[in-house]
Amino acid sequence: MTSQALENDALIVRTMRVRVGSFDLLRLAAALMVLWSHQFALLGVPETFVYGASPSAVGVYIFFAISGYLNAQSLLKGQSSWRFLVRRACRIYPALVGLAVFCVLVGASFTAAGSEFWERVPDFLFRNSTILFGIRYTLPGVFETNPFPSAMNGSLWTLPSEIKLYIYLAIIAVAVRYRPRFLLVALLAAFLGFLVWFHVTSTTVETAYFQKFAIVFISGAALAIIERHRGLRIAIIVLFGLAILAAISTSAVALLPAFALATILVGKIEPPVWLHPQLDISYGIYLFAFPVQQVIASYGLLFWPSLALSLTITTGLAISSAILIEQPALKWRASKIALARS
């Protein structure tokens, strides 16, 4: 096996291990922000926003900024869009399937719909295990009397945007033959296109989630490409320029490039050893928190007991998912690549 193959294999397995810097810690914090915000909504309690932003929105933007930065690095290092997408699929889908099965088991314990419930299960499993063909958020007779009725897996709504951005990044990389300069030009052109769209659109700006996610993702990816070939200082200058351009263009996205830049710079700080997550459970927390919180909300507990119980159970499920589902999937893919190259 070549040294390049060994490097790529190590990169795959390291996805679930401690990463250099604070990226794993940031993603864990982002997942907990989402859990915190959802606790208010799922109990029907008004949430206090911080400087006009929900913690869940901040958490989601952190995910997309880090995703753009790290995945652009991975794609350029591996020089293969196919392997890149397979790695992404092995990271996303196994736990997603586990969540779909978990939701069915939870729903079966709470439903009063009888045969109607089971008639909907195959479609629910297919849609929520594939994501790109539409998400099913409800099952008949489940959580219908909760303060936030019926929804079982409300956190999934951001995943189609993330998967699409992976696919678009991979396609562009193939089109430019993995040449960083041309990849950067293509990404900046897309960035400007989104700014123009926001500038001329006035009716759907607030719900243009994909466009906002794309701007944050592209900002992180552009930073990674420039840093790799021109150094961090030049990358910061370019991102700062994009932030100024966004601020001049439209207030709807004025802070997003600056937010992406700040997120990556914080992520590059090496925290104390005791703060390093020993296992990356952020994805598991993001996936499993919502149905767990709905189960607990159905018992009518107060906010703080509900939050403590939700956090405890979700953390246990996230650890189980990381050890029993996510790590084996990544290691399986690494072994296949190693066999193919040996």
Side-chain angles (χ1 to χ4, degrees):
M1 194 176 356
T2 66
S3 59
Q4 181 64 41
L6 287 169
E7 182 181 359
N8 288 337
D9 295 341
L11 178 64
I12 296 168
V13 177
R14 197 168 61 243
T15 304
M16 296 298 298
R17 296 180 180 172
V18 176
R19 191 185 303 275
V20 174
S22 302
F23 291 111
D24 283 350
L25 185 62
L26 271 178
R27 290 193 298 198
L28 179 60
L32 293 175
M33 288 179 192
V34 174
L35 185 153
W36 166 265
S37 284
H38 285 173
Q39 194 67 55
F40 290 91
L42 297 183
L43 293 180
V45 178
E47 181 181 4
T48 301
F49 285 19
V50 180
Y51 296 106
S54 166
S56 63
V58 174
V60 169
Y61 287 137
I62 288 174
F63 277 126
F64 276 93
I66 294 175
S67 181
Y69 180 77
L70 296 181
N71 283 290
Q73 286 184 333
S74 175
L75 184 57
L76 288 177
K77 182 179 294 185
Q79 297 284 298
S80 170
S81 288
W82 171 248
R83 287 197 295 271
F84 167 77
L85 291 175
V86 170
R87 287 198 296 268
R88 293 294 85 210
C90 287
R91 181 70 178 98
I92 292 173
Y93 281 105
L96 199 58
V97 174
L99 173 68
V101 173
F102 175 77
C103 285
V104 169
L105 294 176
V106 168
S109 302
F110 281 82
T111 187
S115 60
E116 183 186 357
F117 173 87
W118 294 106
E119 289 171 359
R120 293 281 296 279
V121 164
D123 180 71
F124 182 90
L125 288 173
F126 173 75
R127 299 285 182 176
N128 295 333
S129 297
T130 56
I131 289 293
L132 293 178
F133 299 99
I135 299 172
R136 294 290 181 263
Y137 293 104
T138 64
L139 280 168
V142 183
F143 302 141
E144 291 181 344
T145 60
N146 277 22
F148 194 94
S150 301
M152 297 195 66
N153 48 9
S155 298
L156 296 188
W157 72 276
T158 64
L159 286 183
S161 294
E162 185 161 1
I163 294 170
K164 289 175 184 176
L165 288 168
Y166 294 156
I167 294 172
Y168 296 152
L169 180 64
I171 291 173
I172 294 172
V174 170
V176 301
R177 298 181 180 180
Y178 305 100
R179 289 173 289 188
R181 181 181 303 175
F182 292 100
L183 179 58
L184 178 62
V185 168
L187 290 176
L188 292 181
F191 181 95
L192 294 175
F194 284 121
L195 289 188
V196 171
W197 186 91
F198 275 109
H199 187 71
V200 301
T201 301
S202 58
T203 57
T204 59
V205 167
E206 291 302 319
T207 57
Y209 298 112
F210 175 77
Q211 290 86 343
K212 293 178 182 178
F213 295 158
I215 285 178
V216 177
F217 184 92
I218 290 171
S219 298
L223 179 62
I225 296 169
I226 300 169
E227 180 188 9
R228 180 180 175 90
H229 295 278
R230 290 292 182 269
L232 181 59
R233 181 176 299 179
I234 299 299
I236 292 173
I237 293 172
V238 172
L239 260 293
F240 189 73
L242 293 180
I244 294 175
L245 184 62
I248 294 173
S249 170
T250 173
S251 60
V253 294
L255 297 178
L256 295 185
F259 179 86
L261 173 60
T263 298
I264 302 307
L265 292 180
V266 171
K268 294 175 77 67
I269 298 173
E270 189 68 28
V273 174
W274 59 271
L275 269 180
H276 267 301
Q278 297 304 303
L279 189 68
D280 184 3
I281 61 171
S282 58
Y283 185 47
I285 288 178
Y286 187 80
L287 290 183
F288 287 95
F290 199 98
V292 169
Q293 290 173 289
Q294 280 287 60
V295 169
I296 293 170
S298 68
Y299 289 100
L301 300 178
L302 296 177
F303 179 87
W304 289 108
S306 295
L307 178 64
L309 198 54
S310 296
L311 181 59
T312 301
I313 296 174
T314 299
T315 300
L317 288 170
I319 292 172
S320 299
S321 174
I323 295 174
L324 301 177
I325 300 176
E326 298 166 58
Q327 277 190 336
L330 290 168
K331 290 178 180 177
W332 174 84
R333 181 55 195 164
S335 67
K336 292 296 181 181
I337 293 177
L339 287 173
R341 293 182 172 185
S342 60

